[in-house]
Amino acid sequence: MGSKLYVGNLNYRVGDADLERTFAAYGTVKSAQVVMDRATGRSRGFGFVEMGSDQEAQAAIAGLNGKEMDGRNLMVNEARPPERRGGSGGGGRRY
């Protein structure tokens, strides 16, 4: 188990500070970040929280997964490492 958590189904109004306050009830929050869309600057509806320990992360999952925050039921689980995207890139046509 890692101490980094994925938080999904966030209301688009939720910011980093809101996320940090919510998770602080379960332990030390090392970082809390809502992922923003590069093009629009709007929240993408999910984020990541890093807790101080694995035990605190487990407590946050148990306490917050499925709970309501700003009118939406949170989805909280252990963050997975990003998937590698295959392919060589390029994508241009060759004649």
Side-chain angles (χ1 to χ4, degrees), residues 79-85:
R80 294 189 302 251
E83 292 181 10
R84 293 191 175 239
R85 296 184 181 177

Side-chain angles (χ1 to χ4, degrees), residues 1-2 4-6 48 77-85:
M1 169 79 200
K4 189 164 187 176
L5 304 174
Y6 165 84
F48 296 94
N77 50 47
E78 183 180 359
R80 294 189 302 251
E83 292 181 10
R84 293 191 175 239
R85 296 184 181 177

Side-chain angles (χ1 to χ4, degrees), residues 31-89:
S31 66
Q33 181 181 20
V34 174
V35 176
M36 307 302 274
D37 185 282
R38 290 183 202 154
T40 65
R42 231 179 89 157
S43 166
R44 292 188 59 199
F46 70 94
F48 296 94
V49 175
E50 187 173 3
M51 301 298 291
S53 71
D54 290 354
Q55 293 79 16
E56 291 170 341
Q58 283 290 68
I61 290 171
L64 293 172
N65 189 38
K67 298 293 185 205
E68 187 268 333
M69 179 182 181
D70 256 1
R72 310 276 304 261
N73 291 335
L74 296 178
M75 182 171 63
V76 182
N77 50 47
E78 183 180 359
R80 294 189 302 251
E83 292 181 10
R84 293 191 175 239
R85 296 184 181 177
S88 60

